[in-house]
Amino acid sequence: QVHLVESGGGLVQAGDSLRLSCAASGRTFSSYFMGWFRQAPGKEREFVASIAWSGRNTYYTDSVKGRFTISRDNAKNTLYLQMNSLKPEDTAVYYCAAKRSGSMYDTGVKDYDSWGQGTQVTVSS
């Protein structure tokens, strides 16, 4: 497994931007599919975006398409989520996750093996 630590969350206003980072331990980061999930109060954890090993292929849930961008820097063992045009409904704890097998189109929580502790994103209206 890989150890993951998220950062970059905060309190912003609607329309603002934030960039989340996820630092990964180990020398095999580039062999993992990576994903971002989020969990709002009283709701189940949901898929946000995923990225393949090379970073060339990405996948998003419909509600964030055109606003969020997932990327990775394998040399720095870091995953990113650039969030633009934030909305109050984006408020949640955001988690990064990693898995060694399957597809980047796997969007279930159970599809991922390793998780970070989460970072809070709050968007005020």
Side-chain angles (χ1 to χ4, degrees):
Q1 288 190 344
V2 62
H3 183 62
L4 304 171
V5 178
E6 302 95 336
S7 61
L11 172 63
V12 297
Q13 293 186 333
D16 285 350
S17 298
L18 272 179
R19 188 176 81 156
L20 305 183
S21 298
C22 173
S25 65
R27 292 175 287 181
T28 59
F29 175 73
S30 60
S31 66
Y32 285 84
F33 290 101
M34 298 297 298
W36 286 100
F37 287 73
R38 65 186 180 186
Q39 188 166 18
K43 295 187 177 181
E44 294 186 350
R45 193 170 299 187
E46 65 174 3
F47 170 82
V48 175
S50 60
I51 190 167
W53 303 310
S54 67
R56 287 195 293 267
N57 297 309
T58 58
Y59 183 60
Y60 299 90
T61 192
D62 287 345
S63 63
V64 307
K65 284 181 182 177
R67 299 188 299 122
F68 291 11
T69 302
I70 187 172
S71 62
R72 65 192 297 165
D73 187 335
N74 289 338
K76 295 182 178 180
N77 282 9
T78 303
L79 175 74
Y80 302 100
L81 185 67
Q82 178 67 43
M83 305 185 294
N84 298 330
S85 302
L86 282 161
K87 304 176 181 180
E89 51 263 44
D90 295 318
T91 295
V93 177
Y94 282 71
Y95 299 88
C96 66
K99 65 188 186 81
R100 291 294 297 271
S101 61
S103 164
M104 70 171 188
Y105 300 108
D106 297 329
T107 60
V109 170
K110 294 183 178 180
D111 294 324
Y112 283 77
D113 307 312
S114 302
W115 294 84
Q117 83 291 346
T119 185
Q120 176 71 48
V121 173
T122 303
V123 184
S124 64
S125 57

